[in-house]
């Protein structure tokens, strides 16, 4: 019976640790960044990430970050190419940005899928405050953006 408990705990521990670890998002800095298949500039170049693109940092190895993009693809990028400034990408066909964090609030603007928005305030009750490059700002549901 003791062995079975140990096995059960061993199976549950990774799940518990995984949920306790917060996601870390960063943004490609002021210049486009080359994403590689290995943590080395000698690796195969996979993609040129545009400036402002949000990525999820899943691992840090020396001066390199292994990142996940909005499509779920994993790659390596030099840590110096990323910034802590936060952006999000709309993942809904028409993300609705409202004046307040409420579905009944006035619509400020809609954003097509793939639009880059600056994250102004972090998640609060399923909403984030965002700002479009043209200056319009409001609240969007977290389910309609990626990178928060």
């Amino acid at each position: 019976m003791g062995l079975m408990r140990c096995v059960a705990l061993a199976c549950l521990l990774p799940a518990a640790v995984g949920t306790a670890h917060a996601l870390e998002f960063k943004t490609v800095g002021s210049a486009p960044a080359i994403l590689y298949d290995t943590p080395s500039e000698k690796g195969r170049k996979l993609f040129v990430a545009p400036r402002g693109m949000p990525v999820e940092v899943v691992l840090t190895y020396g001066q390199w970050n292994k990142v996940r993009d909005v499509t779920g693809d994993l790659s390596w990028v030099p840590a110096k190419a990323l910034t802590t400034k936060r952006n999000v990408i709309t993942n809904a066909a028409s993300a609705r940005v409202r004046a307040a964090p409420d579905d009944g609030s006035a619509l400020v603007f809609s954003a097509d899928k793939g639009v880059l928005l600056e994250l102004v305030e972090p998640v609060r009750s399923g909403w984030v405050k965002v700002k479009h490059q043209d200056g319009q700002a409001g609240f969007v549901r977290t389910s309609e953006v990626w990178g928060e």
Side-chain angles (χ1 to χ4, degrees), residues 38-40 57-66 76-79:
T38 62
S40 168
V57 176
V58 296
L59 180 70
T60 298
Y61 180 73
Q63 298 301 310
W64 289 82
N65 288 177
K66 187 171 192 175
W76 290 91
V77 63

Side-chain angles (χ1 to χ4, degrees), residues 18-139:
T19 57
H21 180 69
L23 298 177
E24 180 183 9
F25 287 94
K26 291 191 176 184
T27 298
V28 173
S30 59
I34 299 172
L35 304 181
Y36 297 88
D37 67 341
T38 62
S40 168
E41 291 181 353
K42 293 179 182 177
R44 187 168 54 97
K45 296 174 184 175
L46 300 175
F47 181 72
V48 177
R51 65 180 185 193
M53 183 178 115
V55 293
E56 177 189 357
V57 176
V58 296
L59 180 70
T60 298
Y61 180 73
Q63 298 301 310
W64 289 82
N65 288 177
K66 187 171 192 175
V67 297
R68 178 178 293 118
D69 65 23
V70 67
T71 66
D73 290 339
L74 295 171
S75 55
W76 290 91
V77 63
K80 65 184 178 189
L82 301 179
T83 180
T84 56
K85 179 183 175 189
R86 298 283 303 279
N87 288 334
V88 294
I89 294 178
T90 56
N91 61 7
S94 182
R96 295 168 308 276
V97 180
R98 301 196 174 271
D102 181 285
D103 284 322
S105 179
L107 184 66
V108 177
F109 67 93
S110 292
D112 291 334
K113 187 174 184 172
V115 172
L116 189 66
L117 301 169
E118 180 182 343
L119 182 69
V120 178
E121 291 178 14
V123 177
R124 187 175 73 196
S125 301
W127 295 82
V128 292
K129 187 170 185 180
V130 296
K131 182 174 142 185
H132 190 273
Q133 68 181 6
D134 69 4
Q136 292 180 306
F139 295 85

